[in-house]
């Protein structure tokens, strides 16, 4: 049985858990070899448990279980030089790079007046600057392969002003601008660039935001409509988002670029 991504190599950041793990496993099931990157350390501004080296190895095992190769690397996407070194080593080992899933990110929840400089700077540095570095250091490899696909994992909060997530909302909106500009500049190299915008997903990050948000929404029930999807579903599973990643990674979307695609059960459209 042929997969949609046979012979391709895909890179996923934030691959040690959550959406990153689910997307990596699904890409492998479609025939891709994987470069799996994660910071594998805790950020002091974040309340939930972030990815670990053990988690990264568990993701690599899922790729191996699908019969594909996995190369793991520990790198903080905020550190451009370390990220570039990890990408260079992994791409050298696997021979090429065709797909980039810029998934790594952090999230905190608080009212606007409780956003500290530390929270603001960590969130923007990871979610926006780190995503930019991911795109910048991988683009030459995609160009050398004759083209490819970049998928930026934004959020429903990258399309609307969700309350109590201010730095996250700003960073995820910024990713849309990054995606649109890169889609134009990288188009001549046959590199497609799109963003996806998941709604609430049950991951360590999603659970952390959910727990921090609950008391704030209890105090401000007028904001609960921001979190009500159009479809009769609760929070989604990471694997519910992965087929959209496969679609954007594959030739099924060969004429799709510069697109911000919600996968949110209708959450972004109220």
């Amino acid at each position: 049985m042929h997969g949609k991504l046979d012979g391709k190599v895909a890179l996923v950041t934030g691959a040690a858990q959550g959406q990153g793990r689910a997307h990596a496993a699904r890409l492998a099931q479609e025939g891709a070899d994987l470069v799996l990157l994660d910071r594998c350390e805790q950020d002091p501004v974040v309340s939930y448990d972030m990815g670990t080296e053990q988690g990264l190895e568990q993701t690599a095992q899922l790729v191996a279980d699908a019969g594909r190769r996995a190369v793991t690397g520990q790198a903080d996407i905020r550190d451009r030089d370390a990220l570039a070194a990890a990408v260079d080593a992994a791409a050298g080992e696997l021979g090429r790079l065709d797909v980039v899933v810029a998934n790594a990110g952090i999230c905190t929840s608080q009212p606007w007046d409780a956003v500290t400089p530390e929270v603001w700077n960590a969130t923007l540095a990871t979610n926006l600057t780190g995503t930019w570095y991911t795109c910048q250091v991988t683009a030459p490899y995609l160009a050398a392969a004759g083209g490819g696909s970049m998928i930026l994992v934004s959020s429903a909060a990258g399309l609307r002003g969700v309350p109590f997530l201010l730095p996250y909302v700003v960073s995820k909106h910024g990713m849309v601008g990054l995606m649109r500009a890169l889609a134009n500049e990288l188009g001549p190299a046959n590199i497609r660039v799109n963003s996806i915008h998941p709604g609430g997903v049950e991951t360590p990050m999603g659970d952390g935001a959910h727990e921090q948000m609950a008391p704030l929404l209890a105090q401000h029930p007028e904001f609960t409509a921001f979190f009500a999807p159009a479809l009769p579903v609760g929070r989604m599973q990471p694997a519910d988002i992965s087929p959209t990643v496969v679609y954007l990674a594959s030739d099924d979307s060969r004429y799709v670029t510069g697109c911000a695609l919600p996968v949110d059960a209708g959450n972004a459209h109220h």
Side-chain angles (χ1 to χ4, degrees), residues 12-17 36-41 51-52 56 73-76:
V12 180
T13 62
Q17 62 184 19
L36 305 171
L37 301 182
D38 202 283
R39 178 175 161 181
C40 298
E41 64 181 15
T52 63
L56 191 60
Q74 193 172 336
D76 187 333

Side-chain angles (χ1 to χ4, degrees), residues 230-245:
L231 297 178
V233 295
R235 289 195 295 156
M236 296 173 285
Q237 297 302 312
D240 294 327
I241 313 301
S242 301
T244 301
V245 174

Side-chain angles (χ1 to χ4, degrees), residues 126-239:
T126 302
N127 298 3
L128 186 53
T129 305
T131 298
W132 156 235
Y133 289 158
T134 302
C135 295
Q136 190 181 37
V137 303
T138 57
Y141 288 100
L142 270 61
S149 175
M150 289 185 174
I151 302 148
L152 280 50
V153 181
S154 179
S155 168
L159 299 173
R160 59 206 299 257
V162 179
F164 306 130
L165 297 171
L166 187 65
Y168 186 77
V169 167
V170 172
S171 68
K172 294 296 189 177
H173 273 74
M175 288 170 69
V176 177
L178 174 62
M179 174 273 292
R180 288 176 173 153
L182 279 178
N184 289 328
E185 287 203 52
L186 297 180
N190 199 35
I191 298 171
R192 300 183 295 103
V193 189
N194 297 284
S195 59
I196 63 170
H197 298 265
V201 181
E202 289 190 13
T203 64
M205 187 181 85
D207 294 344
H210 192 69
E211 290 169 9
Q212 288 185 310
M213 187 80 73
L216 295 170
L217 288 176
Q219 295 171 8
H220 296 276
E222 65 273 20
F223 290 140
T224 54
F226 276 95
F227 304 93
L231 297 178
V233 295
R235 289 195 295 156
M236 296 173 285
Q237 297 302 312

